């Protein structure tokens, strides 16, 4: 029951005693859910975070149905205020999410016929725009929140984050190093998902498509470097996908127009997205994902779209995922 405090099953499952919800760590074991995965995928702080939101919205109740009804009646503004800037993670609760996705694929309970298009913007996580003065300690903390304590040291050491600088003039500026690490982490997640589907359901043809986009933001409206000019961050592609001359944060019309090439670029993106939604696959030259090539479509303004092969190193992040799965759900051999 995610709306109640964690049930302490440490004596049964963990020899080291109870898990204290004071830092990110292993998931909080919950009561038996009568599904394949019994140790639910929710870290202690996220469980406490959910309870905090319920409390802020005055929705506390011992009955799940009453809590959900209260949350659904809350206004959008109240929800935004209650959530704040912190994100939440999905919960393997046996109701909305019955299985952890990768395990669902491995055990054949995943729908292999889903048409899927996944991709990221060139600067999906614009670290230097958000944390321009990031130091080594900040960098390590961000990495730790993503991959967990066990993997953080490998990432920090291999990228020499212990010696990175907060200075914008430094050749080893911390935010310049962390940004590409996070991009690789995202890309590895896509490759791991797609490869798992191909490995389990290798007799089928899969409509899986991967892309990387440079949205050339800052032209209309014009933005300085400090405002994000030239950065293609998360959500910055929205005006191009909908063909609107706007900023992703804009509410009112803006006093500028796209040049001809930007309009052409937007129209090409729209055509791919429409084709994916109506036929299950985008237009050529976008090809299906091939595990032997790790291929994706590169979308760049003022250039032809082209298929590229991704050659990033996922060894650390793949191992981290395996370790986390083992820690959360144990081995099938147990």
């Amino acid at each position: 029951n995610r709306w109640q405090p964690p049930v302490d099953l440490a004596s049964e499952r963990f020899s080291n005693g109870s898990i204290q919800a004071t830092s990110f760590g292993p998931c909080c074991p919950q009561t038996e859910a009568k599904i394949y995965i019994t140790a639910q995928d929710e870290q202690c702080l996220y469980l406490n975070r959910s309870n905090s939101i319920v409390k802020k919205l005055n929705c506390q109740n011992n009955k799940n149905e009453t809590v959900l009804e209260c949350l659904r009646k809350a206004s959008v503004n109240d929800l935004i205020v209650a959530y704040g800037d912190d994100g939440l993670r999905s919960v393997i609760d046996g109701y909305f999410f019955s299985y952890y996705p990768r395990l669902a694929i491995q055990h054949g309970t995943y729908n292999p016929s889903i048409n899927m298009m996944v991709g990221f913007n060139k600067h999906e996580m614009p670290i230097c725009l958000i944390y321009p003065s990031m130091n080594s300690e900040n960098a390590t903390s961000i990495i730790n929140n993503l991959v967990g304590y066990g993997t953080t040291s490998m990432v920090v050491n291999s990228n020499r984050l212990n010696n990175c600088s907060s200075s914008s003039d430094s050749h080893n500026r911390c935010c310049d190093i962390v940004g590409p690490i996070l991009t690789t982490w995202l890309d590895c997640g896509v490759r791991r998902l797609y490869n798992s589907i191909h490995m389990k359901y290798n007799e089928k043809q899969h409509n899986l498509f991967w892309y990387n986009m440079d949205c050339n933001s800052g032209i209309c409206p014009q933005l300085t470097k400090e405002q994000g000019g030239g950065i293609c961050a998360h959500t910055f592609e929205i005006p191009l996908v909908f063909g609107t001359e706007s900023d992703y944060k804009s509410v009112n019309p803006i006093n500028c127009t796209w040049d001809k090439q930007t309009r052409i670029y937007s129209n090409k993106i729209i055509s791919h997205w429409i084709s994916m939604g109506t036929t299950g696959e985008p237009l050529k030259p976008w090809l299906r994902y091939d595990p032997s090539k790790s291929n994706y479509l590169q979308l760049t303004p003022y250039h032809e779209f082209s298929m590229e092969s991704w050659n990033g190193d996922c060894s650390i992040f793949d191992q981290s995922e395996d370790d986390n799965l083992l820690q959360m759900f144990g081995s099938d051999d147990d």
Side-chain angles (χ1 to χ4, degrees):
N1 186 337
R2 68 174 301 179
W3 308 115
Q4 300 298 321
V7 176
D8 186 1
L9 299 179
S11 59
E12 298 178 21
R13 299 186 182 178
F14 295 94
S15 58
N16 294 328
S18 301
I19 298 172
Q20 300 299 321
T22 57
S23 62
F24 288 93
C27 64
C28 292
Q30 303 297 296
T31 53
E32 294 290 335
K34 305 302 181 185
I35 56 175
Y36 171 69
I37 298 172
T38 57
Q40 298 174 29
D41 178 23
E42 183 164 28
Q43 292 179 323
C44 302
L45 287 185
Y46 282 100
L47 185 62
N48 292 343
R49 175 71 176 144
S50 300
N51 290 333
S52 172
I53 292 170
V54 170
K55 186 176 181 179
K56 288 179 180 179
L57 293 169
N58 296 317
C59 290
Q60 304 100 310
N61 196 287
N62 291 328
K63 294 183 178 180
N64 286 351
E65 295 80 3
T66 304
V67 173
L68 290 174
E69 182 180 2
C70 178
L71 291 174
R72 288 166 179 158
K73 289 181 178 179
S75 69
V76 172
N77 184 66
D78 287 344
L79 286 170
I80 292 174
V81 172
Y83 272 66
D85 295 328
D86 294 333
L88 293 176
R89 292 186 178 180
S90 58
V91 180
I92 311 302
D93 58 2
Y95 174 71
F96 192 83
F97 291 116
S98 297
Y99 304 98
Y100 189 83
R102 187 174 168 196
L103 294 181
I105 294 170
Q106 291 176 2
H107 289 269
T109 59
Y110 186 89
N111 182 357
S113 300
I114 293 176
N115 304 318
M116 194 180 307
M117 180 175 73
V118 181
F120 303 106
N121 293 342
K122 183 177 180 179
H123 312 98
E124 186 73 20
M125 297 183 179
I127 298 300
C128 286
L129 186 63
I130 303 173
Y131 305 112
S133 301
M134 173 184 287
N135 57 29
S136 177
E137 183 179 351
N138 303 144
T140 301
S141 176
I142 287 179
I143 298 299
N144 184 54
N145 286 341
L146 287 177
V147 302
Y149 179 77
T151 306
T152 297
S153 59
M154 290 188 289
V155 176
V156 169
N157 292 335
S158 62
N159 292 276
R160 300 181 179 179
L161 283 175
N162 284 327
N163 299 317
C164 68
S165 171
S166 60
S167 172
S168 60
D169 299 325
S170 175
H171 69 280
N172 66 333
R173 188 182 182 191
C174 293
C175 62
D176 283 334
I177 300 174
V178 171
I181 293 174
L182 300 186
T183 299
T184 299
W185 175 72
L186 291 170
D187 287 332
C188 288
V190 177
R191 195 182 76 162
R192 191 163 51 242
L193 172 64
Y194 282 6
N195 286 352
S196 296
I197 293 174
H198 273 275
M199 185 177 299
K200 180 64 180 181
Y201 307 99
N202 55 17
E203 75 284 354
K204 293 179 63 67
Q205 175 176 272
H206 302 285
N207 279 356
L208 305 177
F209 302 92
W210 187 7
Y211 72 87
N212 182 276
M213 182 185 295
D214 186 353
C215 49
N216 199 29
S217 61
I219 296 178
C220 174
Q222 291 187 349
L223 300 175
T224 64
K225 181 179 179 180
E226 291 72 24
Q227 293 172 322
I231 298 295
C232 187
H234 182 64
T235 72
F236 280 30
E237 83 288 356
I238 291 177
L240 294 166
V241 172
F242 288 93
T244 57
E245 296 170 332
S246 63
D247 178 74
Y248 83 105
K249 296 180 293 186
S250 64
V251 177
N252 300 314
I254 55 178
N255 186 26
C256 67
T257 56
W258 285 343
D259 58 30
K260 181 179 179 180
Q261 289 301 316
T262 301
R263 175 58 62 186
I264 292 174
Y265 180 59
S266 173
N267 288 341
K268 289 170 65 176
I269 292 173
I270 292 171
S271 296
H272 280 294
W273 263 240
I274 290 176
S275 179
M276 184 68 191
T278 56
T279 69
E281 55 184 293
L283 304 174
K284 302 301 181 186
W286 201 338
L287 303 178
R288 293 181 179 87
Y289 176 79
D290 182 344
S292 66
K293 300 177 181 178
S294 294
N295 54 320
Y296 65 93
L297 184 73
Q298 178 62 49
L299 296 84
T300 306
Y302 308 106
H303 293 79
E304 292 296 325
F305 295 177
S306 60
M307 292 300 300
E308 307 288 344
S309 292
W310 193 79
N311 58 1
D313 183 3
C314 291
S315 56
I316 292 179
F317 298 122
D318 287 349
Q319 184 60 52
S320 173
E321 171 75 358
D322 290 340
D323 292 343
N324 288 337
L325 283 179
L326 181 62
Q327 185 179 44
M328 289 188 294
F329 306 120
S331 170
D332 288 344
D333 298 329
D334 292 345

